[in-house]
Amino acid sequence: AFMWIFDITNETRPVPVATFQVSEKERQRFGEGRFGAHQPHEYVGPDNLVYAAWFSGGLRVIDISNPYRPEEAAHYVPKPAPGLRSAQTNDVFIDQKGLIYIIDRNNGLDILKLSRTGKGINR
């Protein structure tokens, strides 16, 4: 499961231009259960960052400044619920202050903030 990037200059004829996929190493590290692109936040701002729920891969922040070569800018993988082997990040929302809300279907809500001083996410 990966993320597609489409050129919608002509909305009646979308053209796929790239994909983003989390590395196989990351998949093996967090890949218990469902793993892959699930629910992106539906607004991409001037920073060109896509925030996407990635099931057991947690939250992935993907920089699409170059839409032909999307790159991961940051990620956060929550702890799994008690008794489970992996997270199941199911939804993501970013508010006007830049707070990131992710929901794990088994373990509730995390509220995060993207660090602007380095590649990281603060809980």
Side-chain angles (χ1 to χ4, degrees), residues 19-122:
T19 61
F20 171 80
Q21 192 164 6
V22 175
S23 74
E24 185 61 30
K25 181 179 178 182
E26 284 288 296
R27 180 182 175 89
Q28 290 173 1
R29 187 170 155 206
F30 300 111
E32 296 283 332
R34 296 175 80 177
F35 185 90
H38 178 59
Q39 179 74 28
H41 180 64
E42 295 178 4
Y43 172 75
V44 178
D47 59 5
N48 289 309
L49 296 177
V50 174
Y51 295 79
W54 213 269
F55 286 125
S56 63
L59 169 71
R60 299 291 160 160
V61 182
I62 302 119
D63 184 343
I64 60 167
S65 296
N66 178 349
Y68 300 97
R69 190 169 178 214
E71 295 183 4
E72 185 168 281
H75 70 273
Y76 174 81
V77 180
K79 292 182 180 180
L84 297 178
R85 299 180 97 150
S86 67
Q88 285 296 289
T89 304
N90 214 39
D91 203 357
V92 58
F93 176 79
I94 317 304
D95 72 12
Q96 291 179 346
K97 296 178 187 175
L99 292 178
I100 306 162
Y101 301 83
I102 60 171
I103 297 173
D104 183 283
R105 67 173 45 183
N106 300 309
N107 207 23
L109 174 71
D110 281 290
I111 302 173
L112 312 166
K113 180 95 175 162
L114 183 65
S115 170
R116 298 295 178 182
T117 58
K119 286 190 173 185
I121 296 176
N122 300 321

